[in-house]
Amino acid sequence: MAGLIPQGFIDDLLARTDVVEVVGERVQLKKAGKSYVGLCPFHQENSPSFNVIPDKQFYHCFGCGASGSALKFLMEFDRLPFPEAVEQLASRLALEVPREGGNQSPHERRERQRREQAREEGVNLLEAAADFYRQRLTEPAAQPAREYLEGRGLSREVMHDFGIGFAPEGWEHLKHHLSKLGVSEDVQIEYGLLIHHEESGRRYDRFRDRVMFPIRDWKGRTIAFGGRVMGDAKPKYLNSPETPVFHKGRELYGLFEAREANRKLERMLIVEGYMDVVALAQYGIRNACATLGTATSEEHLKRLYRLVDEVVFCFDGDKAGRQAARRALETVLEVMIDGRQARFLFLPEGEDPDSLVRSEGQEAFEKRVTCASGLSEFLFEQAAEGRDLKRMEQLERFVTQALEWISRVPEGVLRSLLLKELERRSGLERERLDAMLVERAAAREAQQARLRQHQQLRQHQQLRQHPQQQQRSQPQQRQPGATHSAPRSTPAASPQDGATLSDAQDEWSSLEAMADAGFGDSEPDGWQPDDWQSHGEMPAGQGAQAARATPARSQKRTSVSMLTRLLHLMVHEPQLVAELPESNEWIEGAGEPVDSEDAQLLDDVVRLLKAGQYRSPQVLLAHFLGTAQGPRLEQLAARELLIPRDVRSEELKGLVEHCQHQQARTTPEAEYQALLAKEKRGEKLSAEEKQRLMALLMELATRR
């Protein structure tokens, strides 16, 4: 919760952002009256049902129900966590994102400031290291490195643009330099500049006697390094390890430099190494980038397709290059919505982009790029490789493989054209191919259903293996000011771990189904689904605490836990957090262990809402998007809160009063376990709590 973004800034950011521009960079839109329409990027469809409304700065799909603001679109489409999505929107407007501590404790504020300061110091440290390497390149000891770079045909201008430097031979040059600047060795290790040898305990420079290439983020800040040997030593390329600011699977070398050279990029080349990128730039081809020791990922491609419509994969023509191209094909299919292009360029055996562009020149190399194989051509070529299509069995395998790949392409024109071409090549009727695709999709859905069922069974088995988690509290009499009975003591388990919001909407069509799926238990005296009626069913003049007879739907009734009801209220009515007590100790009286998942989640939600002063359910969900707790809150948000709005405040007040009353009646055993759990979580006990813990220990020992 550290470094929260003020709600006012988020509101202002959305007011200054054009949702059509943000969505249009990722989805092909067409003007339709006052709105824009296109194929939904969140589900497969043949006809456009995805609408972007400029007047309301809102998008909505009438097919799958996806909707939200520009911020929500970035989080869902680019799979960004909430803070990064805000950062990206703010960067479009050249705004700095403010952070605040809100109602954080002094310890939390200090910890937040420490982490922010550490991150800033880490980036500054890497910039200092980049300056060190660049300076070393000018010294006499770097003569071999300069000769190497000049021999590769690199000009000073290109070396300056890419910030190329030199790591001198020796074990501790950078270490001593940074230590003089006051940077500790531990920090240098954390950011991948030093290596710590476990057996000897020695600490030394990671990069030695290598040409150095700084790896920059989208802002141009150095976040890592790549080093290349000048001879035949191994490894040829050496990259920084994963650090707090560098993740190999997300970054692309040369992407920042390509954007700086041309703000209107239309095509990007993906090549293998740093020297390939730099050599192409030397010859005027300033639209190349390279992955950092990993295969091209879906995240890499989504990042590139946000900038350009066409990506060209450049591979060696040998067997390894063909295998890498096949992996790239399987990855790119998932993101090939209409309007995007992917091409595959294979170089002559023994050549790489660096050597080829130096021997052929810019014009010849660009012609090769223009003539690169299209995705459809390469797909069918790979599906037919090694197969005699005149033989029935080989033709069947060709069709099966081609359909497997085509099924990964999102619904649209490209998919239809691929099916039409497969129809021509195989001789099968289109209706049969469509039927085979449907069968394949059904088989995939059945497999996913079996996987979800397997996850449910595992959850039940885990509960059986830990019976102490299934202990239930005894039914309690309803307390004055409280609407419901004491809840069960175990956290509610969602029916599908990791399910999405749409999954929850499909799975739970009513509150009874929600309870049956695992949100409640079968205590006959507990709260019933009928207790939360719609506004039309609420007797006039009666609030949520009014006593009333509930219809007897069945002899076995289902109750929903106290924590579930509290979380449900907080998700739908975040502004009610202002009415909660200053301390969250009342949560301990909700009937579940304080270290249970729901108790911790409620505590996190309340603290977040108090600190950030958020009043939007969408912003609350955004903070938990991509976390283990996110699906739980999405499932609650999917369920309508069937309490009239004018009595929701009273409902919350009654629930909190009930929890406070139950907390006052906590048994010595429960109080002891609660304090013990708090200490195990690493939270510091106050002097009073320590004394109470010792007193409870003595009391329980006397009883035994």
Side-chain angles (χ1 to χ4, degrees):
M1 298 187 305
L4 295 172
I5 303 170
Q7 178 69 46
F9 176 81
I10 297 172
D11 295 339
D12 180 60
L13 183 64
L14 290 175
R16 298 171 64 179
T17 299
D18 184 1
V19 68
V20 177
E21 181 180 340
V22 173
V23 176
E25 292 174 354
R26 297 154 176 82
V27 178
Q28 188 172 2
L29 299 174
K30 293 183 179 179
K31 194 79 165 64
K34 295 184 178 180
S35 302
Y36 291 81
V37 298
L39 294 173
C40 180
F42 304 116
H43 81 288
Q44 296 182 349
E45 60 179 4
N46 292 319
S47 56
S49 59
F50 184 78
N51 288 254
V52 183
I53 303 95
D55 293 345
K56 298 183 179 180
Q57 286 297 300
F58 198 76
Y59 70 87
H60 179 77
C61 176
F62 292 96
C64 68
S67 62
S69 63
L71 184 60
K72 178 73 177 298
F73 183 85
L74 278 182
M75 290 188 294
E76 293 291 343
F77 186 87
D78 294 348
R79 297 180 181 176
L80 294 176
F82 174 74
E84 290 187 17
V86 174
E87 286 276 2
Q88 191 168 124
L89 281 184
S91 69
R92 299 168 62 93
L93 301 172
L95 297 175
E96 288 292 330
V97 179
R99 304 276 178 166
E100 61 182 20
N103 296 328
Q104 295 174 318
S105 67
H107 172 73
E108 289 174 326
R109 284 196 295 271
R110 286 194 299 270
E111 181 64 19
R112 173 182 63 82
Q113 292 169 357
R114 185 195 67 78
R115 287 197 298 267
E116 290 181 353
Q117 183 179 359
R119 183 180 179 87
E120 187 66 26
E121 288 176 352
V123 174
N124 293 337
L125 163 65
L126 294 166
E127 288 290 357
D131 290 338
F132 171 83
Y133 291 136
R134 284 191 288 269
Q135 182 62 35
R136 297 292 84 75
L137 185 61
T138 65
E139 296 180 350
Q143 182 64 27
R146 291 195 296 272
E147 291 177 354
Y148 169 81
L149 293 170
E150 290 171 1
R152 305 299 291 262
L154 300 186
S155 65
R156 291 186 179 182
E157 179 185 0
V158 168
M159 286 191 281
H160 175 269
D161 289 347
F162 284 86
I164 297 174
F166 172 66
E169 188 176 8
W171 294 91
E172 298 179 340
H173 290 290
L174 180 63
K175 171 184 170 182
H176 289 323
H177 174 75
L178 294 176
S179 296
K180 290 179 182 178
L181 298 178
V183 182
S184 71
E185 292 181 9
D186 289 338
V187 174
Q188 295 181 52
I189 292 172
E190 183 181 9
Y191 285 87
L193 299 176
L194 295 186
I195 293 176
H196 176 72
H197 193 275
E198 294 290 344
E199 295 183 2
S200 66
R202 187 180 177 189
R203 299 177 171 187
Y204 51 87
D205 293 351
R206 178 180 296 275
F207 300 101
R208 304 179 304 279
D209 196 24
R210 289 175 179 266
V211 174
M212 298 299 295
F213 300 85
I215 300 167
R216 294 160 168 166
D217 65 7
W218 59 278
K219 290 184 178 180
R221 301 174 300 183
T222 300
I223 56 174
F225 292 96
R228 191 194 192 284
V229 296
M230 294 170 285
D232 297 325
K234 301 294 183 181
K236 182 178 179 181
Y237 290 103
L238 180 64
N239 293 323
S240 293
E242 297 276 318
T243 71
V245 296
F246 174 57
H247 306 283
K248 296 179 184 179
R250 293 207 301 253
E251 303 299 334
L252 290 160
Y253 176 75
L255 184 58
F256 169 76
E257 288 79 6
R259 295 185 67 186
E260 286 293 294
N262 186 357
R263 289 292 180 176
K264 296 182 179 180
L265 288 169
E266 297 180 355
R267 170 194 293 160
M268 283 295 299
L269 276 67
I270 301 181
V271 295
E272 182 180 358
Y274 310 114
M275 279 305 303
D276 293 328
V277 174
V278 178
L280 289 173
Q282 177 65 53
Y283 282 82
I285 302 173
R286 302 296 296 260
N287 61 336
C289 63
T291 57
L292 302 167
T294 64
T296 306
S297 68
E298 187 174 327
E299 191 166 355
H300 285 141
L301 293 170
K302 286 184 176 180
R303 189 170 185 182
L304 289 175
Y305 278 123
R306 290 200 296 267
L307 302 174
V308 298
D309 293 330
E310 181 181 355
V311 172
V312 180
F313 298 93
C314 190
F315 299 102
D316 294 343
D318 56 13
K319 183 178 180 181
R322 290 276 170 177
Q323 291 175 345
R326 188 181 179 106
R327 291 194 297 269
L329 170 67
E330 294 176 347
T331 303
V332 76
L333 290 172
E334 304 280 354
V335 299
M336 289 304 296
I337 61 175
D338 288 347
R340 294 177 177 176
Q341 296 184 62
R343 305 175 76 84
F344 297 82
L345 172 62
F346 295 97
L347 305 182
E349 192 164 352
E351 298 279 5
D352 57 28
D354 177 13
S355 63
L356 195 60
V357 74
R358 283 192 283 123
S359 63
E360 291 187 344
Q362 175 184 357
E363 185 177 352
F365 189 89
E366 289 183 334
K367 284 183 179 179
R368 287 183 180 271
V369 174
T370 303
C371 298
S373 300
L375 181 140
S376 59
E377 179 184 348
F378 184 62
L379 183 150
F380 290 115
E381 174 191 314
Q382 287 295 296
E385 187 176 23
R387 296 186 172 117
D388 181 1
L389 302 189
K390 295 180 180 179
R391 298 177 58 187
M392 192 68 67
E393 297 83 358
Q394 298 293 319
L395 179 62
E396 182 273 330
R397 292 175 186 173
F398 163 76
V399 172
T400 299
Q401 179 62 78
L403 275 178
E404 169 61 29
W405 284 337
I406 294 173
S407 68
R408 301 184 189 182
V409 179
E411 288 282 358
V413 176
L414 175 61
R415 187 174 184 178
S416 297
L417 292 175
L418 288 172
L419 285 170
K420 184 177 181 180
E421 179 63 16
L422 181 59
E423 177 185 13
R424 186 187 70 80
R425 292 182 181 234
S426 67
L428 292 175
E429 295 181 354
R430 177 62 181 271
E431 292 76 10
R432 178 54 186 154
L433 294 176
D434 289 337
M436 292 171 70
L437 274 182
V438 172
E439 292 170 2
R440 187 174 296 275
R444 186 179 292 116
E445 291 178 3
Q447 184 180 14
Q448 293 174 350
R450 287 194 297 271
L451 178 60
R452 291 194 295 266
Q453 186 178 23
H454 177 66
Q455 291 173 341
Q456 293 176 18
L457 291 174
R458 287 187 62 184
Q459 291 173 359
H460 290 307
Q461 289 172 354
Q462 289 172 356
L463 288 175
R464 290 177 181 175
Q465 292 170 2
H466 301 85
Q468 66 274 15
Q469 295 181 3
Q470 292 181 303
Q471 296 177 355
R472 299 180 183 276
S473 58
Q474 295 297 321
Q476 304 289 338
Q477 297 296 322
R478 297 196 178 189
Q479 305 298 331
T483 311
H484 316 307
S485 67
R488 60 190 181 90
S489 60
T490 54
S494 62
Q496 297 177 9
D497 187 22
T500 63
L501 182 59
S502 59
D503 290 333
Q505 291 171 329
D506 294 337
E507 196 68 23
W508 295 325
S509 58
S510 64
L511 283 170
E512 294 94 308
M514 177 182 173
D516 292 339
F519 275 101
D521 54 44
S522 56
E523 295 172 309
D525 191 37
W527 171 85
Q528 309 299 338
D530 298 313
D531 289 345
W532 281 2
Q533 296 180 350
S534 65
H535 187 67
E537 296 170 338
M538 176 66 68
Q542 297 186 19
Q545 301 179 26
R548 60 182 181 272
T550 57
R553 298 193 180 193
S554 64
Q555 292 183 353
K556 180 179 179 181
R557 306 304 299 269
T558 305
S559 64
V560 173
S561 80
M562 181 74 70
L563 287 175
T564 296
R565 301 199 295 277
L566 286 162
L567 282 168
H568 201 187
L569 268 169
M570 289 286 81
V571 169
H572 285 270
E573 298 289 343
Q575 71 277 6
L576 293 181
V577 73
E579 302 179 17
L580 293 176
E582 182 176 351
S583 169
N584 286 354
E585 294 180 354
W586 57 272
I587 296 177
E588 298 175 6
E592 296 189 18
V594 292
D595 59 344
S596 69
E597 292 180 3
D598 273 8
Q600 292 185 22
L601 178 56
L602 179 59
D603 183 75
D604 288 344
V605 167
V606 172
R607 288 178 183 274
L608 176 67
L609 292 176
K610 287 181 177 179
Q613 300 180 351
Y614 299 131
R615 299 299 178 261
S616 167
Q618 190 176 85
V619 173
L620 172 63
L621 293 176
H623 270 280
F624 289 88
L625 191 68
T627 68
Q629 300 92 346
R632 170 74 163 147
L633 293 179
E634 287 185 344
Q635 290 158 0
L636 291 171
R639 301 271 49 84
E640 183 182 0
L641 185 58
L642 301 178
I643 303 175
R645 189 172 296 276
D646 58 345
V647 298
R648 291 178 182 178
S649 176
E650 287 300 312
E651 173 73 9
L652 179 64
K653 180 180 178 182
L655 292 173
V656 173
E657 288 179 354
H658 173 79
C659 291
Q660 290 173 326
H661 183 83
Q662 291 300 110
Q663 184 189 14
R665 298 178 55 187
T666 301
T667 64
E669 291 88 347
E671 188 178 357
Y672 173 76
Q673 291 295 335
L675 289 172
L676 203 60
K678 183 177 180 180
E679 190 175 42
K680 287 181 179 179
R681 291 198 303 270
E683 298 182 26
K684 189 175 181 180
L685 298 180
S686 65
E688 294 78 8
E689 288 175 326
K690 290 181 180 179
Q691 292 177 358
R692 180 58 180 162
L693 185 63
M694 293 301 298
L696 289 168
L697 181 61
M698 295 296 294
E699 180 181 349
L700 294 174
T702 303
R703 288 186 181 184
R704 295 190 179 94

